[in-house]
Amino acid sequence: RKEVEQDPGPFNVPEGATVAFNCTYSNSASQSFFWYRQDCRKEPKLLMSVYSSGNEDGRFTAQLNRASQYISLLIRDSKLSDSATYLCAVRGTGGFKTIFGAGTRLFVKA
Amino acid sequence: EAQVTQNPRYLITVTGKKLTVTCSQNMNHEYMSWYRQDPGLGLRQIYYSMNVEVTDKGDVPEGYKVSRKEKRNFPLILESPSPNQTSLYFCASSFSEGGSHEQYFGPGTRLTVT
């Protein structure tokens, strides 16, 4: 089993749709959690850190469920510009080793 | 402008010819890391460094070397490249305290080994 697993893609959704991604992790000692966005052939960029209490940034909401060991990302009112690959990342104790999921591709269509 | 730079951006080389990919950051970050990204496998960590002269292996360190002689630079060395090291490589950096800081990535180096 991979240490960090994400929903298989691609997700194809119409503009305005709500879409959710999940990411499970196997190490219960993991401390920090992130969602990154990666456009084609570009470097990943931080979308959101994920906090225990959940956090929201505009149309994006991230949640952490430690008991079930997963994080989620919800995108509301999808835009064409949201089309990208979304990577979850998990950092362990000490915060130095980071494991990324393989990514989920999202296509938003007009 | 705060950034992570990598050079070269594209490189085609032959098996066995030693090469170095440079990485530099201007944000005074303690933590730096190298990843490779392959289709279907995502980003895999090769090596990371917590500070000057402190480095450690990630998940896929075989065939790679690194050094951290200065805080801003973290070069990746392939002593004898092989075709299975053909990949897209990213350098990243962050502040290290608490491990909760986001990583900033360089633009990537696309390496082809023939």
Side-chain angles (χ1 to χ4, degrees):
Chain A
R1 180 188 174 192
K2 292 181 181 178
E3 290 188 64
V4 176
E5 294 196 79
Q6 294 188 236
D7 281 349
F11 284 56
N12 295 285
V13 302
E15 270 188 297
T18 296
V19 61
F21 305 138
N22 284 330
C23 171
T24 59
Y25 60 95
S26 61
N27 185 351
S28 59
S30 298
Q31 296 292 315
S32 303
F33 307 88
F34 309 88
W35 283 103
Y36 284 80
R37 171 194 168 124
Q38 184 176 26
D39 293 300
C40 188
R41 297 180 179 274
K42 296 288 185 68
E43 71 272 24
K45 292 185 179 179
L46 182 74
L47 179 66
M48 299 176 76
S49 298
V50 187
Y51 304 120
S52 296
S53 56
N55 47 304
E56 185 174 313
D57 183 3
R59 298 182 292 108
F60 299 85
T61 300
Q63 292 191 314
L64 167 64
N65 185 317
R66 284 192 182 274
S68 300
Q69 295 182 203
Y70 75 86
I71 61 173
S72 63
L73 177 67
L74 182 77
I75 305 175
R76 290 181 297 278
D77 188 23
S78 299
K79 311 292 185 189
L80 294 176
S81 57
D82 293 334
S83 297
T85 297
Y86 292 84
L87 306 168
C88 63
V90 176
R91 265 184 167 176
T93 308
F96 298 129
K97 189 172 180 181
T98 303
I99 307 294
F100 280 81
T104 301
R105 293 200 72 180
L106 171 66
F107 294 99
V108 181
K109 299 183 178 181
Chain B
E1 180 189 356
Q3 59 182 351
V4 179
T5 57
Q6 294 179 227
N7 282 293
R9 295 288 314 280
Y10 303 90
L11 179 60
I12 300 174
T13 190
V14 296
T15 299
K17 185 177 182 181
K18 180 179 178 180
L19 66 92
T20 299
V21 184
T22 64
C23 174
S24 183
Q25 50 91 8
N26 62 1
M27 295 169 277
N28 202 34
H29 287 163
E30 298 88 8
Y31 178 88
M32 298 186 74
S33 182
W34 275 103
Y35 297 87
R36 60 178 289 173
Q37 188 172 36
D38 302 287
L41 297 177
L43 283 162
R44 293 181 293 167
Q45 196 168 35
I46 302 170
Y47 270 94
Y48 59 93
S49 169
M50 290 78 80
N51 215 323
V52 176
E53 301 292 1
V54 184
T55 63
D56 206 350
K57 297 177 181 179
D59 288 324
V60 288
E62 296 77 21
Y64 304 94
K65 287 175 58 177
V66 293
S67 68
R68 188 89 181 275
K69 293 183 168 46
E70 303 167 285
K71 196 172 187 179
R72 63 183 293 128
N73 295 324
F74 190 44
L76 179 69
I77 302 157
L78 284 71
E79 294 271 6
S80 183
S82 62
N84 64 11
Q85 293 178 298
T86 292
S87 187
L88 177 59
Y89 291 86
F90 289 105
C91 179
S93 72
S94 74
F95 292 113
S96 64
E97 185 180 354
S100 61
H101 296 281
E102 69 173 288
Q103 292 187 70
Y104 293 83
F105 284 81
T109 295
R110 189 166 292 279
L111 172 66
T112 301
V113 183
T114 61

